[in-house]
Amino acid sequence: MPAIVIGADTDLGYRIAAALTRRQGEVRAFVTDPASADPLRRLGVKVAVGDVSDGSHIEGAAHDAFSAVLMAEAAHDDRERSFAASYEALVAAWANGLGDAGVRRIIWVG
């Protein structure tokens, strides 16, 4: 069952993605920093780079994933956001994108 880590370009998000590669199943990561993609790819993680505040970007990356791990840090740190004016709007975009993608389990890491 595929799992995706939203905010895998945070320290803890990277460690969670790395830990998930030790189990069977596809591991995906969503990052906003393109420089963080290659280390994740070397672990065997499928990486999507996009705007963390765009629910459609989240939906595309999470399509048919069973689980999503959401890094709270990625919702309120200093990364650029084009589509959400507030923390609440960003979290709502994540929820909508993941729901539209068919994700069944969401784990919030705060």
Side-chain angles (χ1 to χ4, degrees), residues 12 32 40 61 63-64 75 88 95 101 106:
L12 185 54
T32 57
L40 288 160
H63 183 72
D64 286 335
E88 292 78 12
I106 296 174

Side-chain angles (χ1 to χ4, degrees), residues 1-3 26 28 59-67 100-103:
M1 292 188 271
E26 181 180 281
R28 303 178 197 170
E59 176 187 357
H63 183 72
D64 286 335
F66 182 81
S67 299
D100 292 344
V103 172

Side-chain angles (χ1 to χ4, degrees), residues 5-18 29 40 69 71 73:
V5 179
I6 309 296
D9 49 356
T10 63
D11 289 336
L12 185 54
Y14 176 87
R15 288 184 283 163
I16 289 171
L40 288 160
V69 180
M71 305 308 302
E73 179 182 350

Side-chain angles (χ1 to χ4, degrees), residues 44-56:
V45 175
K46 293 184 176 183
V47 180
V49 179
D51 187 324
V52 75
S53 67
D54 186 336
S56 68

